[in-house]
Structure formats: C-alpha cells, structure tokens
Amino acid sequence: MLWGQGAEKTLERKRYHAPAGGSMRKALAVLALGLSLALAQGKITVWTHFGGPELEWLKAQARTFEKTSGTKVEVVEVPFGDIKQKFILGAPQGQAADLVVSIPHDWLGEMAQAGVLEPMGKYVTPSYLGDIQPVAVEAFTFGGRLLGLPAFAESVALIYNKKYVKEPPKTWEEFLDLARRHTTGSTFGFLYNIGDPYFNFGFFRAYGAENVFAKDAKGNLDPSRLLLGGEVGEKALQFIKDLRFKYNLVPEGVDYGVADGAFKDGALAMIINGPWALGDYKKAKIDFGIAPFPTPPGAKNPWGPFLGVQGVVVNAYSKNKTAAVNFAKTLVSGKNLVSFNQAGGRIPVSKSAAKSLEKDPVVAGFSRVFALGTPMPNIPEMGKVWGPWGNAISLAIQRPDSNVKKIVEDMVAEIRKAIGR
C-alpha cells in the first residue's frame, strides 16, 4: 500500500531534523505510529448476498485481513437480485463496493460491457490459475480476459438413493435396467425436471453440442453460431422425448417439485439435481450418492452438464484497488475455500481445496462431474435462448407423434430472430 502524502512529508522532516538521544527514540516512536496510522487509514467495502454461517465466515476473513494489512473492511449485505444493476449503475459514480462476494459467472457479459469489472490477469500467478479447475477459469473469462476469481461452482448430477442403487450405473444399459426395475406401483426409477433446458443441456452436449454457441478464432462465444440445432438438436430432443414415451420413465406432469418431492419421500431411485437440494435430502435421512449421468444411447460424447461458477469481482473504479484485489485473492485461496465449504457446503473449484475435502462425498462427487461440464454461456445473448429452448422441449414431450425435426427448426429460427443473428 502507498503512503499518504502526510506520512511521506513527516518522514522527510524526521530524516533531516531528527533530534539526538532520547528525543531521537521518542521521535522515531511518533514516526512509527504516524506511519501505522497512515497505512491503516485505507478502507474497502464488500457487497455480499451471503447469509448465516457464510456471512460470518466472510466477516471473520475481513477481520483477519484488517489485522494483517491495516486496511479496514466493511461488509455490506445486499440482496442477490439487486447486486448486478446496483453495481453497474453505481460503480462509475463512486457508489458501489470495491469488490463483490460473489457473483455468478453468467453476469460477466453484461457487467463487462458496462466496463465496471477490473481485469484480474495481471494480479494472479500461474500457480493460482493452475490450482483452479480449467472449466472455472473459462467461466470467468470474457473477451479473452479473466474478470474475476472463481471460488465455487454448482451443476446438476445423477443423485441416487443407495437404498435402491448400491453402485451408480456406468452405462446406459445399466441405468435403464435400474430405472425400469424400480419403476413400480409404489416407486419410481428415474425422474427429473424434464421440461427445463438447464437440466437437459447434458444430453445436447452428449449428442455433439460443445456449448450453446460456438467459439470464434479468439476463443470467445459467437452468438451467430448456434449449436443447438440440426442433427444435434434433433437427437437430443428425441432422447428427451423417449424418456417419456419410449422408455416410460418420466410421466406427464413431472416437474422439479414432483421429482424432488419423490426423492425426499424415499420413493425415487435416481434424479438429476444439484447441490442446492442436498440439505433437504439429508434432513429426510436419504442415504444418497452422486455420479455423472451415463452416456445416452448413440451419443458421441460423455454427458456433461452446465456449470455455474461463482466468484469474486473487483470494481474497475475502486480507489483502493490493490487492497481490494489482495482481499479477493485471500478469499479464494485453497485453505480459505476449505473453511468456506465447512461453513456452508459450497463446492470449491480449487483443486487443492477439493483434495483436502476428498473424503466429503458431495465435494468428491460433484468435483468429478464439474470436470465433464461446460460453463453456462456468460454472454448477454444467452438470455434470449432459454424461452425458445424451453418451448421446444415442452412441445416435444407433449405428444408421442410430435415432429422433432420441425420443432428444432422452429426453435433455431426463433432464437436467431430474438438475438438478431
């Protein structure tokens, strides 16, 4: 941290006019106190949506940073839904926090285009980047620049009840056998939120869509190159339709609430869901395991879900940027992400943190799934995709004679019209 002008002038005066003997020692003591106060006068503000034990963890980290750096840290709670716009509008006016803990990576596009995020590439070392799962680094990269420090992630996975499934199925044939065996009058073998694109992306990926959009020569997502259409889209949508009509696994009317409720009630063998549901499953005393979904029939790639990454971002307009960055780096260290996991159960994207937590079945299970995933697109155009994509899935699973090819063609046309490409 740089000294203030007052401290610097004091140093110059003491250097040339310092008295001798005891007066010298007294003068040096006064000088040291003055410099300490000058160093401590800095302050950074943190906005967070954390609550409960996670908020207490953040406040404890702030107190530790204050002691070691001399910089005061003010932690301010801001509702999750307010943070993005408040930060975009307030940062240029000097009315936003120095850093935010934390934001989801799919906010990056809009915030980057507003110019309010400090690029982090010049502040991090290769060893730091090497400790982060590559898919998480990719998630926090926009326009070729790292715009935040990834901390933790979430995705969906195959969650199975060990009462029915002793070992997770590794092949589609094993999965189908288990699902059918446990689809009885009183239990279900497999259910999930079948109408939601987020829960279905893994199937599109398995049939050939690396992401929703292709990347350009610089590695940036290109909204003019949609990957959900054509043969890929038709195969994925046909498989989703088959889960209902060919394999008779997911009945009509099943949504998130129905599937989640059946698993909590102990009446469901397998579900696609995320870590946000695990607290309720533990309360329901379900002995569960976590694994990747097996590769669907005829797919050319392994199943891999959307990955949602959250991390810390720094205000490009901050007046105390160095301190803000240093605090951000402290928060995402492997050691501190272990303690953060213990506070709230979030799954770290730090390899060293995951290694320290390898005996935790949730961390171990989802870490394996993360490695198969792809970041949910962080460009603003993604907001135009969800509606048409969801409508297409709904149309496909409404009737056994639905025209999948026509549905996919209409979906692609609607998305392209919506994003102006």
Side-chain angles (χ1 to χ4, degrees):
M1 185 183 298
L2 297 176
W3 295 347
Q5 282 187 337
E8 195 171 350
K9 290 178 180 176
T10 298
L11 178 59
E12 289 299 315
R13 284 197 300 269
K14 298 302 178 183
R15 181 179 298 154
Y16 292 108
H17 304 289
S23 298
M24 169 72 82
R25 288 191 293 273
K26 182 177 179 181
L28 289 173
V30 172
L31 172 59
L33 178 61
L35 291 177
S36 175
L37 291 172
L39 287 168
Q41 66 185 0
K43 175 184 173 183
I44 55 174
T45 302
V46 180
W47 283 355
T48 187
H49 56 86
F50 291 165
E54 292 182 337
L55 178 61
E56 292 309 310
W57 173 88
L58 180 58
K59 288 180 177 178
Q61 296 298 321
R63 290 193 293 270
T64 299
F65 187 76
E66 286 182 358
K67 291 177 182 177
T68 57
S69 70
T71 302
K72 181 171 177 55
V73 182
E74 181 184 15
V75 177
V76 179
E77 297 172 64
V78 179
F80 179 78
D82 296 344
I83 287 178
K84 182 170 66 171
Q85 284 306 111
K86 190 173 181 180
F87 194 82
I88 288 173
L89 296 175
Q93 311 301 323
Q95 297 174 354
D98 296 281
L99 67 159
V100 180
V101 184
S102 60
I103 71 159
H105 81 270
D106 54 321
W107 287 6
L108 284 179
E110 187 177 350
M111 297 177 83
Q113 290 180 353
V116 296
L117 299 181
E118 175 71 5
M120 303 301 291
K122 63 184 177 182
Y123 299 107
V124 298
T125 62
S127 61
Y128 165 76
L129 292 176
D131 186 47
I132 303 299
Q133 288 211 32
V135 68
V137 175
E138 181 184 352
F140 264 81
T141 300
F142 181 85
R145 299 185 298 173
L146 183 69
L147 292 179
L149 302 180
F152 58 92
E154 63 185 20
S155 74
V156 296
L158 183 69
I159 303 175
Y160 57 96
N161 186 331
K162 293 183 179 179
K163 176 182 176 181
Y164 307 108
V165 180
K166 303 306 179 186
E167 294 291 334
K170 293 181 174 57
T171 67
W172 167 251
E173 290 74 21
E174 290 178 7
F175 170 86
L176 186 59
D177 179 65
L178 282 166
R180 283 175 164 167
R181 192 188 318 161
H182 295 296
T183 300
T184 67
S186 58
T187 62
F188 297 95
F190 172 68
L191 299 175
Y192 78 113
N193 191 10
I194 191 170
D196 191 319
Y198 175 79
F199 286 77
N200 282 302
F201 171 74
F203 303 130
F204 283 80
R205 181 170 171 82
Y207 286 105
E210 294 181 0
N211 204 317
V212 173
F213 306 105
K215 292 181 179 179
D216 61 21
K218 295 181 179 179
N220 300 316
L221 293 174
D222 181 354
S224 70
R225 299 168 63 196
L226 188 69
L227 298 178
L228 300 179
E231 185 180 356
V232 168
E234 291 170 28
K235 286 184 175 180
L237 208 55
Q238 184 63 52
F239 173 74
I240 295 165
K241 177 183 173 181
D242 287 347
L243 289 172
R244 172 159 291 175
F245 297 113
K246 179 179 178 180
Y247 303 116
N248 298 310
L249 294 179
V250 185
E252 184 177 358
V254 171
D255 57 11
Y256 182 88
V258 171
D260 183 59
F263 199 84
K264 283 187 287 193
D265 290 343
L268 175 59
M270 296 178 287
I271 186 174
I272 293 176
N273 213 342
W276 52 82
L278 300 184
D280 286 341
Y281 297 167
K282 290 176 181 177
K283 288 179 184 176
K285 301 188 184 308
I286 304 295
D287 184 13
F288 60 82
I290 298 160
F293 192 94
T295 302
K300 59 193 236 178
N301 299 316
W303 172 91
F306 269 145
L307 194 67
V309 183
Q310 290 207 28
V312 184
V313 293
V314 173
N315 186 344
Y317 292 88
S318 169
K319 291 187 167 76
N320 205 350
K321 207 172 290 181
T322 299
V325 170
N326 286 339
F327 185 48
K329 289 164 70 176
T330 297
L331 294 175
V332 300
S333 70
K335 177 182 176 182
N336 282 335
L337 287 179
V338 169
S339 64
F340 182 61
N341 166 267
Q342 293 165 344
R346 309 269 191 167
I347 302 161
V349 293
S350 158
K351 295 175 187 176
S352 61
K355 178 70 175 173
S356 297
L357 296 164
E358 63 184 351
K359 292 185 179 178
D360 182 324
V362 172
V363 173
F366 273 104
S367 292
R368 286 192 294 270
V369 173
F370 290 170
L372 299 172
T374 191
M376 195 159 49
N378 58 13
I379 59 176
E381 288 84 355
M382 185 61 197
K384 307 290 187 181
V385 174
W386 295 112
W389 194 4
N391 290 340
I393 295 171
S394 296
L395 287 171
I397 62 176
Q398 276 180 7
R399 298 160 51 98
D401 61 348
S402 60
N403 187 333
V404 167
K405 181 177 176 63
K406 177 69 163 55
I407 290 171
V408 170
E409 289 174 350
D410 290 346
M411 174 190 74
V412 170
E414 190 175 350
I415 292 172
R416 285 179 174 160
K417 181 180 178 181
I419 65 177
R421 301 297 177 104

